[in-house]
Structures are given as structure tokens and as C-alpha cells.
Amino acid sequence: MKKITCLSLLFFGFLNLLFAQEKYDVLIVGGGASGTAAGIAAARMGSKTLIVEPTTWLGGMLTSAGVSAIDGNHRLPSGIWGEFRDSLIAYYGSQQALSTGWVSNTLFEPKVGNEIFQRIAASEPNLRVSFQSEWKSAQYEDNRWTLVYERDGQTRKANAPILIDATELGDVAASLGLPYRLGMDSRAEIGEEFAPENGNDIVQDLTYVVTLQDYGKGSDQTIPKPNNYDPDEFACACAHADPITDNAPTLDCDKMLAYGKLPNGKYMINWPNCGNDHYVNLVELSDEERKMELEKAKQTSLRFVYYIQNELGYKHLGIVEDEYPTEDNLPMIPYHRESRRYYGLVDFTLPYVKSPYDAPNALYRTGVAVGDYTIDHHHKKNLNAPEIDFIKIRVPSYNVPLGALIPKNHPALILAEKSISVSNIVNGASRLQPVVLGIGHAAGVLASIASKNSKKLDETSIRQVQWGLLNQGAYIMPFIDLNPRDPHFRAMQKIGATGIFKGVGVPYLWANQTWFYPERPVAEYELMSGLKEVYPHLNEYWGASGDYLTGERFQAFLEMIKENTPFLEIAQVWKRKGLESDFRTDKILNRREVSVILDEILDPFSKPISWSGKYD
């Protein structure tokens, strides 16, 4: 009897251990681009964090999907994106060694990208990654999440106050019944002049990327002829032109392949013009239906590879055999360009990208991730997709508002990856790799702060999240002429986020720009106009001229806001902050100098703002 009792206790003890809830501060479903960044960021904030990832890799579209040519943010090395690129430069030896293909300044081998993300993640003691794990359910009760997932054939549970949906298609939020948009928004619904008159459920084409290896001239790596092969499907693949110009297409097959040329003689095959883009809307399909449709996408890519080898004569280019841990040597996941887009505390739509300072609300003040790539949509494989003239939608660089990451109707769920509250059109820019890394970075900081403070997400301080990002080397304003290594970077970013000094946006080719111009002299009227937005009592003052601002006039303006701001106090701050020369009454001040002094003496960034960017 005693033996049976002991065995029973051991058995039930095993069950309790098996089904015990692991306790965390932050849970993340998905170790893709945003999930990886979120996990690293939250862990660095001191939060015990779990990432549940179905594959054996981290990085998602940059690695597991094979999209290892970075679109944009070359001059905006924000946060974890900048850290990742620095690691690539260290691995390959130089920035020039990453500039192997003409589509990007940063190209790399997917397996190298994964190794870097894994190394960074492993260096964070507060971060645990559960690989080869499938999430099964997520329930929120009594201010806590219970996440059920399977690993090694065992059911496990994890518990935390905050959860981030970093899945590729927003599947966790969907399982909770949160409302979302899918496909193209109607013009009337979203308020964008370039949107189609009638909405639909058409999403962007996806791609099953293929990585090829140059095995040397004379080698024949031609794959078996795929079923349903028709060379006419790819007849215009070599005819291409820069779509943001009016240039006629030219025939150049070498250039088509060089588009995604990677280091060490490899090629990323991710080609939109009569290439391996594939149209299917997977979002609302079952898991089994998704698998069937993705097999069709793989076959599209294999047909294109055969076309490259057999019709174009590149027989020496073969599918690389040691890049991915898969039986077919293809990436583990497809490149999803679009997801469900949930309804957030704010909607990130075209006016906030094209003219952020003239938009209905000052969402730029709430920015947490930056991007500079143009709006880029892939619809060439769906002949039913309405024509949208993306060439006319010229935009400057932009920042993503924090409220777009928080659903209207959940207190503890954060949206990441491509599921944020964004319009279909703007998703064409916000979906790109550095921006999604930035969204994840912001999600991790937000999650950590909300968890530590036991706050609902919509009660969390926007400025606290932004400050956390700045402390981790991230941009909150998309100023191309500022760099995190600048000792005054944070001060200028903060003053830019208050609206006291505004940037100058320029739609420029494939790398749009917003300039802060830190060394530009400040006019009295320029400064006073910005200060009035933050300090409304100054609206009665009309004594600011168009003259350049001198130290004497700056001191007078400061004393209108903070009484008894003596010359000596300003001079001491000037010296302590390492500003050049000395502070003098007759000195003409520039935007850098004024930003540093404002930040130190008035700290306008600390004034609370609403989700719409208004001062409380």
C-alpha cells in the first residue's frame, strides 16, 4: 500500500510539474522580426520574458523567410536594427561587404542573420526562447494571461500580465475575437484619396524565397522540371525598370539576378516582375488549407528557378543545400507582406506619413519606430487587384505612433509584426524589415513598463516608453542627420518629439528623408511658435521677431516659462553638456544648442501627451 501511495504521489507530482504554469513578466508568441526584437528589449528592461517560436530560428522574415536584403533605414540605424547591422558588419568585415546586390545596402546570408539574433538573445539572462513550440491557446483572466503551448510532445503553460502577438498573420488576436481589417480599405472608410472606391479582401502577394548558390561555370545544377511549367509565366522577368521613375523597362537578366546578390556567391530570389511572387490570401484559412496553398507558392518559386536555369542559361546557379534546416532546402516560412490589421487606439494612415505636421492629430509626438522606405505594394500576380498609383504616393520618412500597437478593446495585448492598426496603403511601408524590428523593439519596452507598473496598456505613459527606447539607442523621430552616437542625440530627439522644433520631410527615391538640421540657426519666431504648442500661456506673447535667436533673447524666453533662469545657470548647463565655445548674450544659437538647453532646464518632453499627441 505504501509503495502504491508513493508511486501515486510521484505520478501526480510529475503531472503537477508538467502542467505547472511558468511565470513571466512578458509573453511573446512568435520569434520573427518583431518577436525577437521585443524579447531582447523587454529582457534588457529587466523583465523575465518568454518567446514561443515554432521553428528553430529567430528573425522571421529576415532569416526564416530568406528575405535577407534589407529595405530601407540605411541612415536610420535605430535600436536593435542598428545593433543587428553592426553585427553583420563585424561578421563580414565592412559595410561595403554587405552591399553585394543593387536592391539594398545590407545583404547577408539568412543563416548568418539567425546566428546573430540567437547570439544576442542568448546573452540576455532574462530572456528564454522555446523553439519548436506551437502555441495552442491564450486566455486572459484576472489580469493575467495563460498561454498554452506544446513542445516535445508535452503541453506547457506560461503565465504573465502582458502578451505580445508577434505571429506572422495576427493569429493570437484573432483567436480572441478582436475585430480587424483585411485587404484594401475603401476610400470612404479610411479617408485616403489613393485608396480604391470600394474595399475588398485582396492582400499583397506573398513569396516563397529561394536562395541560390553559384556552383561555378560548367556546373549543371538544373532542378527537375516542375509540374505545370510554362515559360510564358516568367517571360517578362528580365524586363525591369525603377518603378519610381518614368524610365522604360530594359532587358537585363544579369541585373535581375544581381538584385538580390548575397555575400559568398549566393542569390536571394525574391523577384516581383514575372517572378516568384504568388497570390493567395491565407489569413482566414485553416492550418491544413494554409499548408496546401503554401505548397503552391513553393511550386511557383521552383518553376521560376527552373526558368532561370533552363531558359535563361544560369545552370550553374543551384538551390543552396546548407542554408536552411529543411528537407527541401527552402526557407521555413514564406514572406508574408500583409496580415490582419487590428483596430488600435489610433489608426496609422497616409496623412500621418505624407504630412505629419499638418495631419489631423500630432501622432508624430507619440512615435516609437521609424522608417524611410517608400510605399511598396506587390499585386502583380492578382489581376483582380484594383490599380493604385503608388508612384504618386510620395512620402518622407516617418514614425509609427505607439497607439497603433495597442488594440482598442484589450487591456493587456500588444500588436506587433504587421498586425498593427495601419491602413492597407501605409502597410506597404510599415511592413519592411527595419520598421518591423522597430515595432517589436517598442512592443518589448511597452510590455516591460506596463508589466512592472501593473498598468493597463492604455494607461501607460507614452513618454516613458519613448524614453526607454531612447535609452536603448532607438529613434523616436525619423531625423536622418542625427545619430545615436551623438552625445546630444537624445535631447534633439526629445525636443523633436515635443514639436518645438519640426523636421523637414523630403520624398527622395527609395530612401525618404526628414532633416532636423542641428547646426541651423534658430529664428526667434520659430522657437516661440514651437514653445506656444507646449506652453499655451505664451499665446498672448507677440514679441518674437524673425531675427536669429541670441543668448540674451533665449534667456528672456526661458524666464517666461521658468522664472529666475539666470544667465549663469544656462552657461553652466552649456559647459556641462559639452556644447561648443561658450554661452554669450550675443551668440546666435542653433537648433542643437537650443534643444540641449531646453531639455535640461525646462524638460518639455516630460509633459504628458494623449494617444492623439495632444498635451494633457
Side-chain angles (χ1 to χ4, degrees), residues 540-557:
E540 303 301 318
Y541 181 77
W542 296 99
S545 77
D547 289 336
Y548 285 134
L549 180 72
T550 63
E552 180 180 24
R553 293 291 285 160
F554 186 34
Q555 180 189 9
F557 289 169

Side-chain angles (χ1 to χ4, degrees), residues 100-117:
T100 45
W102 57 264
V103 72
S104 174
N105 293 289
T106 304
L107 300 100
F108 55 94
E109 296 158 281
K111 65 180 181 182
V112 172
N114 165 62
E115 290 165 3
I116 289 171
F117 280 130

Side-chain angles (χ1 to χ4, degrees), residues 20-39:
Q21 293 196 19
E22 310 155 1
K23 291 189 176 180
Y24 294 91
D25 301 311
V26 177
L27 299 174
I28 303 169
V29 182
S34 65
T36 300

Side-chain angles (χ1 to χ4, degrees), residues 261-409:
K261 187 176 182 181
L262 308 178
N264 294 322
K266 296 176 184 177
Y267 295 82
M268 177 192 73
I269 305 302
N270 175 30
W271 185 248
N273 300 323
C274 293
N276 57 326
D277 280 4
H278 180 89
Y279 181 72
V280 59
N281 186 343
L282 292 176
V283 170
E284 293 175 334
L285 300 182
S286 67
D287 288 344
E288 206 54 45
E289 289 170 328
R290 286 182 181 183
K291 288 177 183 177
M292 292 172 59
E293 292 297 331
L294 289 179
E295 181 57 34
K296 295 177 185 177
K298 285 186 179 182
Q299 291 303 314
T300 299
S301 289
L302 292 175
R303 292 195 301 273
F304 188 44
V305 168
Y306 183 79
Y307 178 83
I308 291 170
Q309 296 170 326
N310 193 63
E311 309 295 337
L312 302 184
Y314 297 92
K315 297 181 183 296
H316 58 291
L317 300 183
I319 297 175
V320 68
E321 295 180 355
D322 61 351
E323 197 71 35
Y324 307 101
T326 56
E327 291 184 6
D328 58 10
N329 295 317
L330 297 181
M332 288 163 274
I333 62 173
Y335 179 22
H336 295 286
R337 293 183 175 88
E338 197 163 338
S339 168
R340 301 173 175 94
R341 304 186 314 281
Y342 289 90
Y343 293 90
L345 298 182
V346 301
D347 282 335
F348 187 38
T349 59
L350 193 57
Y352 298 102
V353 180
K354 289 192 71 176
S355 305
Y357 299 115
D358 300 319
N361 294 301
L363 295 187
Y364 72 88
R365 291 186 182 134
T366 72
V368 290
V370 298
D372 65 8
Y373 203 72
T374 191
I375 291 173
D376 182 20
H377 279 236
H378 288 227
H379 289 295
K380 294 186 177 181
K381 289 299 181 77
N382 186 349
L383 300 179
N384 295 319
E387 190 71 28
I388 298 176
D389 193 348
F390 292 106
I391 294 176
K392 292 184 178 179
I393 309 178
R394 301 293 178 90
V395 299
S397 55
Y398 60 89
N399 60 2
V400 178
L402 181 60
L405 279 61
I406 303 173
K408 282 182 179 178
N409 34 21

Side-chain angles (χ1 to χ4, degrees), residues 25-26 39 42-49 126-127 447-449 451-452:
D25 301 311
V26 177
R44 288 176 176 173
M45 297 284 288
S47 293
K48 186 180 178 184
T49 303
N126 290 314
L127 176 60
S448 179
I449 290 171
S451 179
K452 285 180 180 178

Side-chain angles (χ1 to χ4, degrees), residues 550-555 558 566-575 579-587 589 593 597:
T550 63
E552 180 180 24
R553 293 291 285 160
F554 186 34
Q555 180 189 9
L558 290 175
F567 178 90
L568 181 59
E569 180 183 355
I570 302 172
Q572 288 173 338
V573 171
W574 186 283
K575 185 174 182 180
L579 294 170
E580 291 185 3
S581 67
D582 296 312
F583 181 71
R584 304 187 311 274
T585 56
D586 63 343
K587 180 176 177 60
L589 307 181
E593 294 159 345
I597 301 301

Side-chain angles (χ1 to χ4, degrees), residues 18-225:
L18 184 61
F19 294 105
Q21 293 196 19
E22 310 155 1
K23 291 189 176 180
Y24 294 91
D25 301 311
V26 177
L27 299 174
I28 303 169
V29 182
S34 65
T36 300
I40 294 167
R44 288 176 176 173
M45 297 284 288
S47 293
K48 186 180 178 184
T49 303
L50 171 69
I51 296 175
V52 174
E53 164 57 28
T55 74
T56 58
W57 279 20
L58 289 176
M61 60 174 154
L62 290 85
T63 58
S64 304
V67 192
S68 56
I70 297 299
D71 294 307
N73 283 39
H74 180 57
R75 293 177 66 182
L76 292 174
S78 178
I80 290 169
W81 150 237
E83 181 179 351
F84 175 70
R85 189 179 68 176
D86 287 346
S87 297
L88 288 172
I89 292 171
Y91 180 88
Y92 287 105
S94 68
Q95 172 64 57
Q96 290 70 32
L98 304 177
S99 300
T100 45
W102 57 264
V103 72
S104 174
N105 293 289
T106 304
L107 300 100
F108 55 94
E109 296 158 281
K111 65 180 181 182
V112 172
N114 165 62
E115 290 165 3
I116 289 171
F117 280 130
Q118 298 246 22
R119 175 181 55 76
I120 296 172
S123 70
E124 298 300 331
N126 290 314
L127 176 60
R128 176 182 165 235
V129 183
S130 182
F131 291 107
Q132 294 180 295
S133 301
E134 297 284 347
W135 77 276
K136 296 300 178 182
S137 67
Q139 292 184 325
Y140 184 71
E141 293 179 348
D142 299 325
N143 300 320
R144 302 285 296 185
W145 285 98
T146 298
L147 177 69
V148 179
Y149 64 101
E150 286 187 0
R151 180 182 178 186
D152 299 329
Q154 295 182 351
T155 298
R156 300 166 186 256
K157 292 183 179 180
N159 184 280
I162 299 291
L163 185 145
I164 299 172
D165 182 352
T167 59
E168 293 290 327
L169 299 176
D171 288 332
V172 176
S175 75
L176 301 170
L178 271 63
Y180 57 85
R181 302 183 184 100
L182 180 63
M184 295 182 176
D185 309 297
S186 72
R187 194 175 308 154
E189 176 193 8
I190 207 68
E192 295 177 341
E193 61 178 310
F194 294 99
E197 184 174 351
N198 299 311
N200 57 59
D201 65 352
I202 296 173
V203 300
Q204 289 198 60
D205 301 347
L206 59 76
T207 306
Y208 232 105
V209 175
V210 182
T211 305
L212 299 182
Q213 173 79 57
D214 186 345
Y215 287 93
K217 296 293 185 182
S219 173
D220 188 349
Q221 302 294 321
T222 305
I223 63 174
K225 183 177 179 180

